[in-house]
Amino acid sequence: MKVTALAGGVGAARFLEGLIQAVPQDDVTVISNTGDDEEFFGLHVSPDIDIVIYTLAGAIDREKGWGLHGETYTALSALARFGYDTWFNLGDADMATHAHRTQMLRAGAALSDATRSIAAAFGLRITMLPVTDDRMRTLVDTDAGTLAFQEYFVKRRTADDVRAVRFEGADAARPAPGVLSAIAAADAVIIAPSNPVVSIGPLLAVAGVRDALRETRAPVAAISPIVGGRTIKGPADRMMAALGMRPDAAGIAAAYAGFLDVLVIDEQDAALASDVAATGVRPVIAQTVMRGPDEKRALAETVLRAVQ
Ligand code: FO1
């Protein structure tokens, strides 16, 4: 069974850990958000791609959910000596990933080539695709002005009130090679439990992706990242409310209306099932909070059963 997943960062990576227990890696394609990408010290950093690769390779810092396990920060401290801002915590070994990616890009390779190289070097057999090889940046309009995503998320710790979210460059961005065909040729498409605005939103903003989701013969399922009215991690609930969306499972269903067939919602949100159904999406109730490997695998199996 060929499965294509649309993914953001930490929440998606945790779900994908379960998915690769249930489906052989060779049958899994992950389409990653690149709106969070940023350049630091001349290095191209692709946080969501790296979070998924490090997690699936068992190399992630599990406590933080990003960065490498056992990481050191000697280079970053040394950079501070030259007066650089060091609020984005790039570890020493993590920097090697960004140096390799940047080196490939400078030599004329596409981001998808660099991503394939990094995934292979970490021993993965899944197909990892950035949604686009073109530059796209998530910008957050806040009461304090327009912020690049990492500035909003890491530097200012999501403290600013959000007025709008934009994807600079998305209009001109073309899907990376393999993205549209992975959606068209899949037996199932799964939208990981990620922020619908800033993690999945950039994917949907790239020309052709939304149409591919509408047109694919594969069932499209999502897992709600909002449980009991709150996000497991990150600002999705506050962000959705600020943008006039319902900050709950029914709001997730509405965000994906038009292409979503099934939404897996948590047992705690069983009362929202009829509101989800009213958007034309079939609700499936399951335990979606994943603590260990068994729960991750069980959730993946539930989603796969729901689309079979
Ligand atoms: N998240 C943080 O909260 N603080 C950091 O200093 C930080 C550094 C970092 C470095 C490399 C990387 O790949 C990810 C990093 N993240 C950090 C995570 C990242 O900002 C976000 O989780 C994603 O962009 C949202 O999915």
Side-chain angles (χ1 to χ4, degrees):
M1 182 185 199
K2 293 221 174 294
V3 178
T4 295
L6 273 55
V10 181
R14 288 167 58 82
F15 170 74
L16 293 169
E17 277 187 286
L19 186 68
I20 62 163
Q21 290 185 66
V23 179
Q25 284 202 24
D26 300 295
D27 293 337
V28 174
T29 298
V30 175
I31 303 175
S32 247
N33 171 34
T34 56
D36 298 12
D37 287 22
E38 196 57 78
E39 201 166 285
F40 293 100
F41 322 115
L43 301 176
H44 184 113
V45 182
S46 295
D48 281 359
I49 290 173
D50 293 346
I51 287 168
V52 169
I53 291 176
Y54 294 171
T55 302
L56 298 188
I60 198 84
D61 179 326
R62 289 208 167 269
E63 213 162 287
K64 296 209 276 278
W66 50 266
L68 287 159
H69 169 73
E71 188 60 283
T72 52
Y73 293 87
T74 308
L76 194 71
S77 307
L79 281 159
R81 184 183 300 135
F82 301 110
Y84 290 103
D85 246 348
T86 54
W87 51 268
F88 198 73
N89 293 289
L90 291 176
D92 296 326
D94 191 27
M95 275 199 210
T97 302
H98 313 315
H100 175 58
R101 174 187 294 116
T102 308
Q103 181 78 4
M104 283 189 73
L105 293 175
R106 282 215 190 116
L111 182 61
S112 43
D113 299 321
T115 303
R116 191 181 317 114
S117 167
I118 295 164
F122 274 88
L124 299 185
R125 294 196 327 275
I126 62 162
T127 303
M128 269 299 286
L129 300 173
V131 65
T132 180
D133 283 332
D134 300 322
R135 190 69 185 105
M136 173 170 65
R137 286 184 96 205
T138 298
L139 297 178
V140 186
D141 292 329
T142 73
D143 289 350
T146 297
L147 306 172
F149 180 78
Q150 298 301 343
E151 220 180 337
Y152 161 77
F153 193 78
V154 174
K155 188 176 185 184
R156 298 173 65 91
R157 297 170 193 270
T158 74
D160 304 285
D161 286 332
V162 175
R163 290 184 186 162
V165 173
R166 295 179 283 133
F167 309 113
E168 189 183 61
D171 287 349
R174 291 149 303 165
V179 164
L180 298 184
S181 57
I183 295 172
D187 296 309
V189 176
I190 302 176
I191 302 175
S194 295
N195 184 321
V197 180
V198 289
S199 296
I200 304 299
L203 276 65
L204 302 177
V206 173
V209 171
R210 208 178 257 277
D211 286 342
L213 289 166
R214 248 185 239 124
E215 288 160 14
T216 180
R217 284 198 310 270
V220 180
I223 303 100
S224 174
I226 307 214
V227 173
R230 292 186 50 222
T231 23
I232 305 290
K233 190 179 181 297
D237 46 0
R238 280 182 290 131
M239 199 175 250
M240 288 173 77
L243 298 176
M245 302 160 75
R246 262 181 78 165
D248 63 14
I252 300 291
Y256 300 144
F259 58 79
L260 191 69
D261 299 303
V262 173
L263 181 66
V264 179
I265 66 174
D266 195 75
E267 287 160 346
Q268 293 177 49
D269 294 319
L272 292 169
S274 55
D275 288 1
V276 170
T279 66
V281 172
R282 180 163 65 91
V284 169
I285 299 165
Q287 190 194 314
T288 66
V289 184
M290 301 164 280
R291 288 178 202 87
D294 293 345
E295 289 174 351
K296 288 173 191 162
R297 182 185 183 133
L299 178 58
E301 284 170 349
T302 299
V303 180
L304 293 171
R305 258 196 315 275
V307 292
Q308 257 159 16

